[in-house]
Amino acid sequence: MDLFDQQWNSYRAIVEHNLMEHRQVADATAAALQGWLARRPCQSPPPRMVDLGCGDLALLAPVLGRLPLGSYTGVDQAAVVLPLAERALGPVPWPTTWLQGDLLAWAMAAGPANDRVDILHSAFAIHHLDDEQKTTFLRGARQRISADGVFVWADVFRDSSESRQAFLQRYSERVRSDWHQLTAEQQRHVIGHLSRFDIPADRTAIQAAAEAAGWQWRWSWQGAHRAEALAVLTPI
């Protein structure tokens, strides 16, 4: 079994057993999008959506299928997951595009004003960027979204003034103590991955960075473990 298969099997077990509250995240995402749609003027054209780090859409596909979109673009670094996402979404009445790509590169690829998206979504992907890259992403994404658009961001965040190392120690202990549905090997894969790649944003610092980049920030959902959360950002 190669490294991707090992990591993917661990990821699927986490989702299936709701160890990172993916079901609650999907419900909170649906509520945020429905709330935004309800406030949108009736004469507005169907919104265009970009999903950064779309993964396999295992839980989000039913949410997307109920939305009156104008188009949907799923972007992920792992090309192998894109056919899985397309299959999970199934037939929909609006055009879909599937792209292998980097979320930071997408944010920095500024296009014409008439090419801006209305809905931007990302779940558990931006925490792989370092703090400077997150700020760069927020600035770039602000230029790529329509004036009345919305950015729904689900991720892991650390407590204000909590160091990355303290967060990782706390989260690793959660994996070892509570994630009994994973094998010992899978737990090691998860802890190894987050130790090497995860850089959760400081809640206060990232909100300040977002506001400086032209976003209004609102926490829409908080998980039970001082980690997972969902923020709704709108252009100022």
Side-chain angles (χ1 to χ4, degrees), residues 120-163:
L120 182 60
H121 173 262
S122 186
F124 301 110
I126 298 174
H127 69 266
H128 293 134
L129 303 178
D130 64 30
D131 290 343
E132 182 177 353
Q133 289 172 326
K134 289 186 184 74
T135 298
T136 300
F137 170 83
L138 287 167
R139 290 173 180 161
R142 176 62 182 83
Q143 301 305 311
R144 298 213 59 185
I145 198 161
S146 62
D148 61 347
V150 65
F151 172 25
V152 180
W153 177 7
D155 218 327
V156 286
F157 300 87
R158 66 184 197 269
D159 291 340
S160 298
S161 301
E162 181 182 30
S163 69

Side-chain angles (χ1 to χ4, degrees), residues 184-200:
E185 183 178 13
Q186 287 174 327
Q187 290 181 6
R188 287 193 295 271
H189 289 156
V190 171
I191 293 171
H193 174 88
L194 65 90
S195 298
R196 290 192 301 272
F197 301 114
D198 287 15
I199 312 172

